[in-house]
Amino acid sequence: MSTLRSVPWPPRPEVRLALRDALPRAGRPLRILAEDITGLERPLDLVAADGAGRVVLVLVAGSASESLELVAAGLAERAWLAPRLGDWRKLAPELDLRPGLGIELLLVAPEFPPAAQAAARAADPRSIALACARFAARGPSGRPEILLESLGDTEPPVAETHGRLRSAFRTGLRESDLAGSVAS
């Protein structure tokens, strides 16, 4: 039995190829409509559609340090793509796209620090999905495989103690502790 070993983040084309294979296994059966096409200011890694005809825009970070930038880029690229979906639908009606459902963003990076998660949550908590990707290989010469971990709804964890919710503030303060201290 060979063990998995972590391997470095590969170039973007290899990440896209790995995602094409991994998304159906991760519960995301998407039809890939376009790959590596020119967007507003960056390549759109994958443009896909789910079973209902909703478009899913998949963008990949080049490194962990780009995750916050990826959230902003995703919002801009989604805004750029949205008005073009009507044309896509006219040119290829067999794609069965439903532009009225909006565009979901699936952002993939090695990690999403708290600032990137907070930005995604503040921008659009229902149609931005974050997924951390790691690459691993079996044995010394094995082909790298992608391991995807969905960050769910990007909500920050809130601990529960003795039936009561504990503060999400690191200091232990609650909103009510701060209410009277804000100057008017």
Side-chain angles (χ1 to χ4, degrees):
M1 173 152 101
S2 61
T3 60
L4 281 176
R5 63 179 170 78
S6 180
V7 295
W9 186 260
R12 182 174 270 118
E14 291 178 38
V15 176
R16 275 195 303 269
L17 182 61
L19 280 171
R20 289 177 71 105
D21 296 336
L23 288 172
R25 289 191 315 265
R28 297 298 309 256
L30 300 174
R31 289 178 295 129
I32 306 300
L33 307 175
E35 183 174 332
D36 192 24
I37 62 171
T38 302
L40 177 64
E41 292 199 1
R42 63 168 283 150
L44 305 181
D45 293 297
L46 297 171
V47 180
D50 66 15
R54 183 176 188 186
V55 172
V56 179
L57 175 57
V58 181
L59 297 179
V60 175
S63 68
S65 63
E66 293 178 15
S67 58
L68 183 57
E69 180 183 319
L70 188 64
V71 174
L75 293 170
E77 297 298 345
R78 179 172 67 179
W80 177 85
L81 181 60
R84 287 156 180 79
L85 293 182
D87 292 336
W88 285 28
R89 191 170 181 204
K90 288 176 190 172
L91 291 169
E94 70 277 4
L95 294 178
D96 197 27
L97 300 180
R98 298 185 59 203
L101 295 177
I103 299 173
E104 180 184 347
L105 283 175
L106 173 56
L107 305 177
V108 180
E111 66 180 327
F112 286 94
Q117 292 181 49
R121 189 173 51 254
D124 189 349
R126 286 180 285 209
S127 64
I128 297 178
L130 304 179
C132 292
R134 308 268 190 277
F135 284 83
R138 294 192 186 280
S141 60
R143 181 175 165 255
E145 299 174 34
I146 191 169
L147 308 169
L148 286 176
E149 175 190 357
S150 173
L151 293 182
D153 61 7
T154 70
E155 285 296 320
V158 177
E160 190 172 320
T161 50
H162 303 295
R164 295 182 17 220
L165 292 179
R166 193 173 69 202
S167 171
F169 290 108
R170 292 182 187 168
T171 62
L173 294 173
R174 297 180 304 270
E175 293 284 344
S176 60
D177 295 331
L178 300 174
S181 64
V182 177
S184 310

